[in-house]
Amino acid sequence: MGLNVNFDLNEDEQMLKAAVERFVADRAASADGDCEASSASGFAIENWHTLAELGILASSLPEELGGLELDNSAIAVIHEALGHGLVTEPVIENSILGAGLLLSHPGFSDWAEPLAEGSKRVALAHAERGSRGDIVAVETTAQSSSDSVTLNGHKPFVIAGYGCDGYIVSARSEGDAAAGDFSLYFVPADAAGLTSSSWRQTDGVVAAELTLDGVTVPSENEIPDGPVVLDRLETLSSLARSAQMLGIMERLFADTLEYLRTREQFGQPLGGFQALQHRMTAQYAKLAQSRALLELAIVSEDDFEVAVKGARAFIAKAALDLGHEAIQMHGGMGVTDELAIGHGHKRLLMLTRWPDDPRAAMDAYARISA
């Protein structure tokens, strides 16, 4: 395994980290769990534009197109801070994945500026019913003619897809749907034959359900080497999800520790009871293990994908356990909107179960590391 053990941020990355932390402190969620007013998309549009101004939406985009193209360490720092602030704005779904896929196509370089500025959003429409974990069954079909491709199918799980300006749609021209053979195409949101409906994710962000009925796009809309690019961006997205989970875990642990220190029962703080001390110690150990695995993934070079999959598999399970413990120690109020605990747990449910749950993530790690 090639390792480059260096967690030092350069000057630009330190400034970006400080900017994210100021944003989290000032704009994301207050200490009592109150959230910013959200739009029809389920997140605060004002926050989205502020993230654009800070360069967060451009953090993973190609440098030659005006993006920052930050390294893995900086991406993890950013998303850990976003997680700590319980930020729900879909940076991973719309910027790392959607924008990253679209801008890998040289023909769509004119989208770079509006995507980085937050005036346009693109989402990935890949998973379908029948998909299991990281094994995606693609039933949507692509029929090619001389200069166009006609798409027919159903994409029910377009995460953070409501209100987007376009979609990266997976489709197959032949072969078995479960074989993993597919191509990716850019479909504008106003394309004829494309209809969408919305459903709300557990973290409040609104997803889209797409139906493609004879949607025709130019042949040039196919993303070159789409599956290869998707694998690379999914690995980076998994790193970012793991970092967000770690940030949320730190927030929930700190809030719970403070609660146990101040809430009294039978004449003494709850933190004085040995049984609760042992439970908090166990969660602290999981938190420390999660950070160690994330840092290992960041510095891994030759085995980066393997290390990321392993880290996410462990962190997803640990995060759910910590979230459950935080709620139980707060009692019934832990699931109310009065505290950040419930909001954080909802966000963890989304991050740990999409695009696969902890068990499926562990299966994927076992396959790739064998």
Side-chain angles (χ1 to χ4, degrees):
M1 177 183 291
L3 294 179
N4 179 18
V5 185
N6 180 11
F7 294 103
D8 293 334
L9 301 180
N10 61 38
E11 184 177 350
D12 290 340
E13 292 168 344
Q14 288 174 350
M15 293 175 61
L16 187 57
K17 176 179 181 290
V20 176
E21 290 174 344
R22 285 196 301 271
F23 165 78
V24 165
D26 297 340
R27 304 291 300 278
S30 65
D32 61 359
D34 291 338
C35 296
E36 295 275 350
S38 63
S39 68
S41 299
F43 59 87
I45 294 299
E46 184 178 357
N47 279 359
W48 185 252
H49 291 307
T50 301
L51 289 171
E53 292 171 3
L54 294 174
I56 305 305
L57 303 189
S59 60
S60 62
L61 300 185
E63 195 170 5
E64 62 269 21
L65 296 178
L68 299 178
E69 202 168 351
L70 299 178
D71 63 16
N72 297 332
S73 178
I75 294 296
V77 166
I78 288 170
H79 285 274
E80 184 179 338
L82 293 176
H84 194 275
L86 309 184
V87 172
T88 58
E89 280 67 31
V91 178
I92 297 173
E93 293 79 10
N94 294 157
S95 294
I96 295 180
L97 276 174
L101 282 165
L102 184 62
L103 296 183
S104 71
H105 191 314
F108 292 102
S109 59
D110 57 332
W111 278 68
E113 185 173 344
L115 287 170
E117 291 177 347
S119 58
K120 288 188 176 181
R121 291 191 298 123
V122 176
L124 173 65
H126 184 34
E128 301 182 15
R129 301 189 192 281
S131 299
R132 293 293 182 270
D134 66 334
I135 302 175
V136 178
V138 177
E139 296 282 0
T140 299
T141 60
Q143 183 174 0
S144 300
S145 63
S146 58
D147 59 355
S148 64
V149 177
T150 300
L151 305 173
N152 289 280
H154 181 219
K155 298 291 185 180
F157 311 116
V158 187
I159 304 303
Y162 183 74
C164 281
D165 301 278
Y167 303 95
I168 306 296
V169 177
S170 61
R172 61 184 178 89
S173 56
E174 57 185 15
D176 182 7
D181 298 324
F182 62 89
S183 298
L184 295 173
Y185 304 89
F186 174 64
V187 178
D190 59 358
L194 177 66
T195 57
S196 66
S197 57
S198 63
W199 55 273
R200 189 170 294 274
Q201 302 168 195
T202 187
D203 59 358
V205 178
V206 181
E209 180 177 356
L210 304 183
T211 299
L212 301 99
D213 185 7
V215 174
T216 300
V217 297
S219 299
E220 309 87 75
N221 279 27
E222 181 178 353
I223 305 298
D225 297 320
V228 175
V229 178
L230 177 58
D231 281 345
R232 174 176 61 82
L233 293 177
E234 279 286 13
T235 300
L236 184 61
S237 297
S238 188
L239 179 72
R241 291 187 185 101
S242 299
Q244 284 202 20
M245 285 188 280
L246 180 62
I248 296 172
M249 291 169 71
E250 291 172 334
R251 171 72 178 272
L252 300 191
F253 184 87
D255 286 2
T256 303
L257 187 61
E258 179 63 21
Y259 177 75
L260 294 179
R261 285 171 173 168
T262 57
R263 178 79 164 106
E264 292 191 358
Q265 190 73 29
F266 304 113
Q268 65 172 313
L270 288 176
F273 293 96
Q274 192 176 58
L276 296 183
Q277 292 174 4
H278 289 171
R279 289 167 64 180
M280 287 295 287
T281 299
Q283 296 310 311
Y284 180 80
K286 290 181 181 180
L287 190 55
Q289 289 174 294
S290 297
R291 175 167 294 284
L293 286 170
L294 181 66
E295 291 179 348
L296 175 63
I298 290 170
V299 300
S300 297
E301 295 177 352
D302 299 339
D303 298 324
F304 178 64
E305 183 181 1
V306 175
V308 169
K309 285 186 180 295
R312 185 180 180 277
F314 180 89
I315 295 172
K317 177 64 167 62
L320 285 176
D321 290 345
L322 191 149
H324 292 157
E325 282 285 72
I327 289 174
Q328 289 187 19
M329 291 189 188
H330 278 81
M333 63 188 294
V335 295
T336 69
D337 289 340
E338 299 300 316
L339 299 178
I341 301 297
H343 294 291
H345 188 62
K346 289 176 184 177
R347 182 64 179 153
L348 283 177
L349 289 175
M350 189 68 210
L351 289 168
T352 58
R353 284 176 164 81
W354 184 264
D356 49 17
D357 62 26
R359 177 170 293 183
M362 183 60 74
D363 290 341
Y365 171 69
R367 284 196 301 272
I368 196 172
S369 62

